[in-house]
Amino acid sequence: MTYETDGVTIELVQGDITNQPDIDAVVNAANAQLRTGGGVAGAIHRAAGPGLARETRPMAPIQPGEAVISGGHDLPNDHVIHVLGPVYGRDEPSGELLRAGYENALDLAESNELTSIAFPAISTGAFGFPLEPAAQIALDAVLSRAGDLECVRRVRFVLFDNDALETHRSILSDLTE
Ligand code: AR6
């Protein structure tokens, strides 16, 4: 599914965040130490190679809602934007922190003059944020920011399974009707 607003195309796809070769920056659902881990962080660090952790070590730790940018190393992307999402039920207010993560990632893409960015569903795995409210926050954050974006022209959500894709699809339809 694609949706265009203010010259920005929002794309929803099912796939793997490490296999998005046509995108300038992929977003990592990071841990505070910016190390490898499970889920997205494990996949990104495996695909990027050890140079990624070497580069990110001096930038750690980061706080919930914060974003930092690195090179893409062996990934097909020039950059990785590392976002620490909130742990649901621990980092409060979790909705505001999740929104800040998306906004800060978009700001970093803008300040680095990138034209495309791909997000996974931050915090919805190990960090336990329920998928529906997380998708609502993520999509609303991007839709609300679209009018302010000058460089970013494509925002892709890469959803790991069909359930996550369908949830995002239905929420994007509701938000834009
Ligand atoms: N591509 C796209 N989406 C994926 C992929 C992938 N390769 N792998 C998993 N997902 P998570 P979090 C989905 O746990 O909740 C790590 O251990 C997954 O189905 O990666 O922010 C870090 O080290 C889920 O919907 O991120 C942190 O400690 C979503 O991506 C912690 O987990 C996010 O799942 C971060 O937890």
Side-chain angles (χ1 to χ4, degrees):
M1 177 183 183
T2 65
Y3 176 79
E4 202 182 313
T5 179
D6 297 310
V8 177
T9 303
I10 298 174
E11 304 173 349
L12 306 183
V13 303
Q14 187 177 347
D16 184 331
I17 195 73
T18 64
N19 186 24
Q20 307 299 322
D22 56 338
I23 292 286
D24 293 335
V26 288
V27 172
N28 181 16
N31 50 68
Q33 297 304 325
L34 302 173
R35 295 191 188 119
T36 188
V40 169
I44 283 188
H45 278 269
R46 269 195 305 279
L52 179 61
R54 275 198 293 275
E55 184 186 354
T56 54
R57 193 174 303 133
M59 303 177 204
I62 62 169
Q63 304 301 316
E66 196 179 341
V68 294
I69 189 166
S70 72
H73 297 264
D74 294 342
L75 280 162
N77 318 96
D78 287 343
H79 301 278
V80 178
I81 295 177
H82 308 260
V83 172
L84 179 61
V87 175
Y88 193 70
R90 187 190 80 185
D91 299 321
E92 298 292 352
S94 56
E96 285 175 33
L97 291 169
L98 186 62
R99 173 179 282 272
Y102 282 94
E103 291 173 347
N104 287 328
L106 290 172
D107 288 350
L108 273 179
E110 278 288 298
S111 58
N112 285 273
E113 299 182 348
L114 308 184
T115 63
S116 55
I117 181 170
F119 288 98
I122 299 167
S123 282
T124 65
F127 284 179
F129 209 117
L131 189 61
E132 273 197 47
Q136 180 95 27
I137 289 163
L139 290 164
D140 189 60
V142 172
L143 287 167
S144 305
R145 272 295 162 94
D148 301 329
L149 299 175
E150 291 179 353
C151 300
V152 174
R153 285 288 157 261
R154 211 141 52 98
V155 179
R156 178 177 297 166
F157 286 86
V158 181
L159 291 325
F160 211 35
D161 57 31
N162 189 57
D163 181 46
L165 176 64
E166 287 307 322
T167 299
H168 283 72
R169 205 196 296 263
S170 125
I171 290 171
L172 182 57
S173 298
D174 289 350
L175 287 173
T176 56
E177 70 186 9

